[in-house]
Amino acid sequence: MGGAVVDEGPGGVKAPDGGWGWAVLSGCFVITGFSYAFPKAVSVFFKELIREFDVGYSDTAWISSILLAMLYGTGPLCSVLVNRYGCRPVMMVGGLFASLGMILSSFSTSIIHIYLSTGVITGLGLALNFQPSLIMLNRYFSEKRPLANGLAAAGSPVALCCLSPLGQLLQYQYGWRGGFLILGGLLLNCCKEGKELAVEKTQSKPKPLLDFSVFKDRGFLIYTIAASIMVLGLFVPPVFVVSYAKELGNEDTKSALLLSILGFIDIFARPTCGIIAGLKWVRPRVVYLFSFAMIFNGCTDLVGSQAKDYPSLVVFCVFFGISYGMVGALQFEVLMAIVGTEKFSSAIGLVLLMEAIAVLVGPPGAGRLLDATKNYMYVFLLAGIEVVLAAVVLATCNFLFIRKKPSEPAAELENGTVSAEMELLNKPVAAEEEEEEEVEKGEKEVKEMKEKEEKEKEKVLLCCYVV
């Protein structure tokens, strides 16, 4: 892939691709699950909150919106903290913040309190966990990184399948306050302890707190623009598919089952896509695989917009789950491949900030379109067009502007220099000794010739003197 950075980790240290990395992966799995699933899982408490505080559904929906805004919008802040203090301290503080926010929410006396505690404090805590976990994963895996990203991304659908029924059970047994308190305790699992590579401490040149030089990388710019367009439509179908089913006359339980089908397929799609992305002939072209995943997802939306009955929506959810899982498994793998390990901590923060704007605009914009047209078909059509457009931008721009050009003289000269250096480095020891002997022999011969010339001169001088 043009523009891909192939490195072995910060400071040139080779990623272990295993060992303690598997423990880091398990922690990333848990953190990814909580980060993406928690804003959706708290929605099971909305009816109780509406009754408790006498507010509308739109008021409670702001809780999830604020959570997502904090998760995405605080990306640069997380990057600065990670570059300044390292991953482990930031993750520990993040886990404490996430737990503290939910515990404080259990004592709330107004919906504003929940906005501040669950939305802001817990959202910030999840953000301080999510971004460092991806950075650590990138440092511990190189050859197996696509698989590691796929497995870590699978935490999202697994956690959603677990947290939603758990939330309903907690609400039934302990009410929303008790449920929030117990969930706060669960979030302490985001403080899993991990070992950071000791490379950062040995680096001679200090890293900038936020490396804006990534904007000079055309690959990063193309990725950021494409990803921002993608998230405008990516999250719309999961938000509206249940309402779409109800609109077609299906009962609530049957309609909600669609999300379970989507999530179940998603669980297996992510690691499978990670395995495919790790294949030798696929990995250098992972950008185009990511583009294919987006086109697959967008076309699924376009076809799904024509669904007229429940079986059609089930088929839509199956294919959407596959494509959605592919996108989830590849989005950060592609960014890692583009910017490399050293700049990833800054790049991920800046990308998430750009995506935060699109995340806040996408679903509400689709809702306005639905209010204006009263037809779900247009909502799904718009989402599909946005995701397909993102794929076209990424693939086309990468092919036109990032493609390698080996015919350039500079590139040829550099390649020739590197080849010559490698030949010198790779010479056998015996050959080197032979060459040294020849050099010594040559020097000896030159010395003998000089001595002979001097003797001849002396003879000539002596003859002249006698004459």
Side-chain angles (χ1 to χ4, degrees):
M1 178 195 73
V5 177
V6 181
D7 53 14
E8 297 182 323
V13 175
K14 184 174 177 60
D17 269 318
W20 185 255
W22 296 116
V24 173
L25 174 59
S26 63
C28 190
F29 177 90
V30 173
I31 290 168
T32 302
F34 276 118
S35 300
Y36 275 115
F38 207 79
K40 303 166 189 173
V42 294
S43 63
V44 301
F45 297 98
F46 283 179
K47 286 187 178 179
E48 287 292 321
L49 295 176
I50 290 169
R51 189 180 301 114
E52 175 84 14
F53 299 117
D54 191 26
V55 294
Y57 185 84
S58 59
D59 297 313
T60 56
W62 272 103
I63 300 171
S64 296
S65 297
I66 296 172
L67 267 169
L68 286 171
M70 294 299 294
L71 180 64
Y72 282 86
T74 55
L77 173 63
C78 296
S79 295
V80 169
L81 293 175
V82 167
N83 289 334
R84 176 65 179 85
Y85 300 105
C87 291
R88 286 180 62 194
V90 175
M91 292 173 73
M92 295 292 287
V93 172
L96 293 174
F97 266 62
S99 177
L100 177 64
M102 293 304 295
I103 293 171
L104 290 175
S105 292
S106 65
F107 300 100
S108 297
T109 57
S110 72
I111 195 70
I112 301 297
H113 293 163
I114 295 182
Y115 291 162
L116 295 175
S117 54
T118 300
V120 176
I121 299 177
T122 297
L124 177 60
L126 292 175
L128 293 175
N129 269 271
F130 176 61
Q131 190 170 319
S133 71
L134 289 176
I135 294 169
M136 288 188 73
L137 192 68
N138 184 39
R139 291 173 181 171
Y140 273 87
F141 289 91
S142 177
E143 295 297 325
K144 299 178 182 177
R145 193 179 65 201
L147 174 61
N149 273 310
L151 291 171
S156 175
V158 169
L160 185 59
C161 291
C162 296
L163 285 177
S164 293
L166 176 63
Q168 291 175 346
L169 178 64
L170 293 176
Q171 179 182 280
Y172 178 76
Q173 293 288 340
Y174 306 105
W176 72 269
R177 293 184 186 275
F180 274 31
L181 189 63
I182 294 171
L183 288 175
L186 285 176
L187 284 172
L188 285 173
N189 285 289
C190 291
C191 298
K192 284 177 171 283
E193 186 175 350
K195 297 179 183 177
E196 284 188 271
L197 295 176
V199 175
E200 295 179 354
K201 298 177 183 177
T202 61
Q203 286 179 338
S204 58
K205 187 178 179 181
K207 293 170 62 177
L209 293 181
L210 195 60
D211 191 354
F212 289 99
S213 68
V214 291
F215 284 108
K216 297 178 182 178
D217 187 335
R218 286 182 292 181
F220 173 77
L221 289 175
I222 292 167
Y223 175 89
T224 304
I225 294 169
S228 299
I229 298 172
M230 176 190 72
V231 297
L232 283 172
L234 184 65
F235 302 120
V236 169
V239 172
F240 288 93
V241 69
V242 175
S243 301
Y244 192 3
K246 291 178 182 178
E247 184 75 14
L248 295 176
N250 298 288
E251 59 184 24
D252 292 358
T253 307
K254 195 176 179 181
S255 300
L257 182 62
L258 292 172
L259 281 181
S260 300
I261 296 171
L262 191 157
F264 181 76
I265 299 295
D266 191 4
I267 290 172
F268 298 98
R270 297 191 184 216
T272 303
C273 186
I275 294 172
I276 295 171
L279 297 175
K280 287 185 179 180
W281 61 275
V282 175
R283 194 171 185 187
R285 303 167 181 84
V286 70
V287 163
Y288 301 109
L289 179 62
F290 185 42
S291 301
F292 169 77
M294 286 193 286
I295 290 176
F296 186 11
N297 185 267
C299 290
T300 302
D301 293 342
L302 297 176
V303 175
S305 67
Q306 306 302 313
K308 302 298 180 185
D309 52 29
Y310 189 79
S312 301
L313 287 177
V314 170
V315 174
F316 162 76
C317 286
V318 169
F319 284 97
F320 186 87
I322 296 172
S323 59
Y324 189 72
M326 290 177 68
V327 171
L330 293 172
Q331 57 177 338
F332 296 118
E333 167 62 26
V334 171
L335 180 60
M336 290 175 186
I338 289 173
V339 300
T341 300
E342 292 187 11
K343 294 186 177 182
F344 180 72
S345 58
S346 295
I348 183 65
L350 295 169
V351 166
L352 288 176
L353 177 62
M354 298 299 295
E355 289 184 351
I357 301 169
V359 165
L360 289 176
V361 171
R368 286 180 177 270
L369 178 63
L370 180 61
D371 291 337
T373 61
K374 308 296 182 184
N375 193 331
Y376 284 90
M377 179 183 72
Y378 297 110
V379 173
F380 280 70
L381 284 173
L382 176 62
I385 290 170
E386 289 167 341
V387 178
V388 170
L389 176 62
V392 172
V393 168
L394 181 64
T396 304
C397 292
N398 187 79
F399 181 78
L400 293 177
F401 303 116
I402 313 296
R403 194 171 45 165
K404 291 181 180 178
K405 298 177 180 178
S407 60
E408 291 180 4
E412 289 179 359
L413 179 61
E414 185 179 349
N415 290 337
T417 305
V418 172
S419 299
E421 290 176 356
M422 291 302 295
E423 283 179 10
L424 288 173
L425 289 172
N426 293 329
K427 274 188 177 181
V429 176
E432 289 181 2
E433 290 177 354
E434 211 172 286
E435 186 177 339
E436 287 177 5
E437 287 177 3
E438 288 179 2
V439 170
E440 289 177 3
K441 189 177 178 182
E443 289 177 352
K444 191 175 179 181
E445 289 177 355
V446 170
K447 190 176 179 182
E448 289 175 353
M449 286 178 67
K450 284 183 178 179
E451 288 177 354
K452 191 175 181 181
E453 286 177 1
E454 296 212 354
K455 284 181 181 178
E456 293 291 335
K457 285 181 182 177
E458 286 177 2
K459 287 181 181 178
V460 171
L461 288 173
L462 184 60
C463 291
C464 290
Y465 180 72
V466 170
V467 173

